Amino acid sequence: MVTTVERERKFSGTEGFRLPDLTGCGDVVTVSDVTVLELDATYLDTDDLRLARSGFALRRRSGGHDAGWHLKVGAAGGDRTEYQVPAGTPDDGPPAELVARYRAAARGRPVAPAARVSTVRHERRLLDAAGRVLAEVAEDTVEARDLVTGERQRWQEIEVELVDGDDALLDAVARRLRRAGARPVPGSKSHRALAARLAAARTAAAPGTGDAGPRRRRDRRGAGAGGTAVLGYLAAQRDTVVAHHPAAREGDYDAVHDMRVAIRRLRSTLRTFRGLWERRESEQVRAELGGLGRKLGAVRDVQVMAARLTDAVHAEPAELVPGPVAARITAHFAAEEAAAVAELRAALDGEHWTGLLVRLDALVEEQPVRRAGRRWVLRRVHRAVRRADDRLDRAMGNGRGGTADDPALHEARKAYKRARYAVEVVEPTVGDPAADLVRRFKRLQNLLGAHQDSVPTREALRRVALRAYADGENTFSYGLLYARQATTADRELDGLDQARDRSRRGRVRRWLEP
């Protein structure tokens, strides 16, 4: 399987559009002769278009230089990760390695042909002075058919995809195309082919608009203004989890982090605004999300500690690091990371995970059990903020009473995360004061987090040092690194008083008063 990151932009073009001269855009000095390609792609999706709604596109394409199965993940018009697998026989279904990556988005449901897109492509390459391919520019004549409704469409499109170029080149080409009459278009070919059905499916799945189902009689008036904001936030975090699923199951550093944070936001929202949903179900979903969050955390914590200690070793003078310290640290964390990633992948590939997403969908998309107004939501935001303040005050005691391994400071950090996520729910409607408070809570989190992160890091150092000692190696460097981590942790708390006071100033809190 080949994995690439696709960076492209799309533009509309009428039949009379003429591609302008693109030499002089960035480092482009030559434009190649045109190559004509005939591409034929069948896009597959679930019956309710879950893949397309989640920013996934699964296709089997013939023609061109990359024929085969493709899975694209990410919004069209931005950076998208593309997984490519050679095609088997026409009767073969999607390859298992792709199924594993879209199962969460499909909620474990089968996929079937949804649209067919045929493209006649006139492709040119943009070259620099050394003959290096910076980008490819394609003029496409597209014919698309929705394989369910039979609706047909035809359009012209210009696609610019980076090869060895950069975003500055994309910007320069885009400016040249716009001056020639082209206009940016945000959607992919498959989304345009499925536009009518996709719009209907998104409307049906909008937060709080679905059927209540048989479990409990619900308020048919909807979620209320405040409840709608909560459900919208919950839906956004769910979608973030699904979007990062393919890369996170491989242990990708950024994807694991982003998926873990989205899980935290989901759990925090279900806790802060409990009462909006049937209590037993929402608490069970929250608890089960916590299990996945811990597996993500196991991967992420190892990655962070490995990076932190690797940087710390390299920052020391060579004479203070005798022996294979860096190599031993790297090997220790590599083994722990591999084991943690294997556990995470097993969880993400299991049926329980897709079932949990279906239950989460129900909380987001079905009518809530109560109508929640803006004041109801603000009272719960205020409560979350007050609880975080109280926990930090208790942890700090008289002045700053916490120590480097003080569990009360860790609990205060978690409480401020919940408070921050609660404020984020209402940030779109409150505006700048809420955004300012989010920034100040993040500053508090960072100080408390740097303090707390040193605790497991020092414990890992102690374990590595014991193994080095057992193997007869000099352990001086491990003791030095341990002391450095402890000193850094204490220093991080020096700014805690000021950060706390800044987060409590009246002008950033006044809107919170119920």
Side-chain angles (χ1 to χ4, degrees):
M1 183 174 65
V2 177
T3 303
T4 60
V5 176
E6 178 186 83
R7 299 161 65 197
E8 66 178 19
R9 295 188 191 172
K10 295 176 180 289
F11 301 83
S12 63
T14 64
E15 296 222 7
F17 176 82
R18 294 180 62 84
L19 192 72
D21 179 13
L22 297 175
T23 58
C25 292
D27 294 330
V28 176
V29 298
T30 306
V31 178
S32 73
D33 292 336
V34 67
T35 299
V36 180
L37 303 170
E38 293 187 2
L39 312 175
D40 189 74
T42 297
Y43 288 84
L44 292 85
D45 210 326
T46 61
D47 56 2
D48 59 351
L49 302 180
R50 276 284 179 186
L51 296 186
R53 286 159 50 195
S54 300
F56 286 58
L58 174 67
R59 72 187 179 195
R60 190 179 193 275
R61 189 168 79 178
S62 60
H65 48 75
D66 60 351
W69 285 98
H70 301 169
L71 176 66
K72 295 187 178 185
V73 181
D79 291 357
R80 306 178 80 189
T81 301
E82 182 173 348
Y83 304 93
Q84 301 177 5
V85 178
T89 64
D91 293 333
D92 289 343
E97 53 262 62
L98 294 188
V99 174
R101 287 165 174 79
Y102 72 70
R103 280 189 78 252
R107 306 304 193 264
R109 298 173 65 177
V111 296
R116 184 174 182 180
V117 176
S118 299
T119 304
V120 177
R121 170 165 290 180
H122 291 74
E123 185 177 87
R124 296 173 174 84
R125 295 183 170 187
L126 308 185
L127 311 173
D128 66 8
R132 186 169 55 113
V133 180
L134 301 178
E136 294 175 342
V137 179
E139 293 181 274
D140 292 341
T141 299
V142 185
E143 293 187 1
R145 179 163 63 96
D146 186 317
L147 296 177
V148 174
T149 66
E151 181 183 359
R152 294 177 180 271
Q153 299 181 64
R154 180 183 172 91
W155 69 88
Q156 305 291 321
E157 184 174 291
I158 302 99
E159 187 176 289
V160 185
E161 182 174 354
L162 289 181
V163 179
D164 285 333
D166 56 18
D167 288 340
L169 172 63
L170 269 182
D171 292 339
V173 172
R175 286 193 294 271
R176 192 78 57 93
L177 290 175
R178 286 197 298 269
R179 284 199 295 268
R183 292 292 177 264
V185 294
S188 65
K189 291 180 175 66
S190 60
H191 278 64
R192 187 163 179 174
L194 296 166
R197 274 204 296 146
L198 192 54
R202 283 173 169 159
T203 299
T209 61
D211 188 2
R215 291 177 301 181
R216 180 172 174 175
R217 180 176 180 84
R218 301 188 178 201
D219 185 346
R220 295 292 179 169
R221 294 173 297 171
T228 298
V230 175
L231 293 176
Y233 185 82
L234 204 70
Q237 304 315 313
R238 174 205 58 187
D239 293 345
T240 298
V241 167
V242 171
H244 289 295
H245 170 272
R249 69 184 294 280
E250 305 301 323
D252 179 84
Y253 187 89
D254 292 328
V256 168
H257 171 69
D258 291 344
M259 189 173 182
R260 183 191 189 189
V261 171
I263 291 284
R264 283 175 172 166
R265 285 184 164 116
L266 285 168
R267 297 187 69 241
S268 178
T269 303
L270 291 171
R271 173 177 175 169
T272 299
F273 302 102
R274 59 171 58 134
L276 193 59
W277 308 272
E278 195 277 321
R279 182 68 170 266
R280 181 176 180 181
E281 175 65 4
S282 67
E283 286 298 294
Q284 286 181 347
V285 168
R286 190 173 76 86
E288 292 176 32
L289 286 171
L292 179 62
R294 286 188 289 275
K295 293 187 184 300
L296 288 161
V299 177
R300 176 66 179 176
D301 291 346
V302 170
Q303 292 174 335
V304 169
M305 284 190 290
R308 182 171 181 159
L309 287 179
T310 297
D311 290 344
V313 170
H314 291 155
E316 296 292 342
E319 61 270 18
L320 296 182
V321 191
V325 177
R328 182 174 283 277
I329 287 174
T330 298
H332 171 83
F333 286 114
E336 288 197 354
E337 182 179 356
V341 169
E343 286 196 21
L344 174 61
R345 184 180 300 121
L348 292 177
D349 288 350
E351 292 184 4
H352 182 78
W353 168 230
T354 53
L356 180 57
L357 280 172
V358 171
R359 293 164 64 195
L360 182 58
D361 290 337
L363 295 179
V364 172
E365 296 167 8
E366 293 182 3
Q367 293 284 357
V369 298
R370 64 167 296 147
R371 182 177 174 85
R374 186 173 184 270
R375 287 181 63 81
W376 184 90
V377 170
L378 283 177
R379 281 198 299 270
R380 277 145 186 82
V381 174
H382 182 265
R383 186 183 302 166
V385 171
R386 189 177 65 244
R387 185 180 295 116
D389 290 341
D390 291 344
R391 291 200 175 183
L392 181 59
D393 288 344
R394 289 198 300 270
M396 295 176 70
N398 296 322
R400 192 184 73 221
T403 60
D405 57 352
D406 187 351
L409 286 175
H410 181 50
E411 290 302 314
R413 177 196 184 192
K414 292 193 294 184
Y416 272 114
K417 283 182 180 178
R418 289 190 290 269
R420 173 188 161 196
Y421 300 153
V423 174
E424 286 177 353
V425 169
V426 297
E427 184 179 340
T429 55
V430 173
D432 289 343
D436 195 5
L437 188 56
V438 165
R439 286 191 294 270
R440 295 178 191 222
F441 281 169
K442 190 172 183 179
R443 170 61 177 163
L444 269 174
Q445 282 179 233
N446 289 340
L447 290 172
L448 292 167
H451 169 83
Q452 177 61 31
D453 288 347
S454 74
V455 177
T457 302
R458 280 179 283 157
E459 175 56 26
L461 268 174
R462 190 186 67 82
R463 295 197 307 270
V464 175
L466 289 174
R467 292 182 183 178
Y469 179 79
D471 290 341
E473 295 174 11
N474 189 321
T475 58
F476 166 81
S477 300
Y478 302 105
L480 176 65
L481 292 170
Y482 188 102
R484 300 266 200 242
Q485 291 294 315
T487 300
T488 299
D490 289 341
R491 188 183 305 122
E492 291 292 343
L493 291 182
D494 289 342
L496 190 57
D497 288 304
Q498 183 184 40
R500 178 189 61 177
D501 294 343
R502 281 178 53 81
S503 75
R504 298 184 185 185
R505 290 179 180 171
R507 67 182 182 84
V508 294
R509 295 279 188 109
R510 197 169 295 116
W511 62 272
L512 268 174
E513 296 302 322

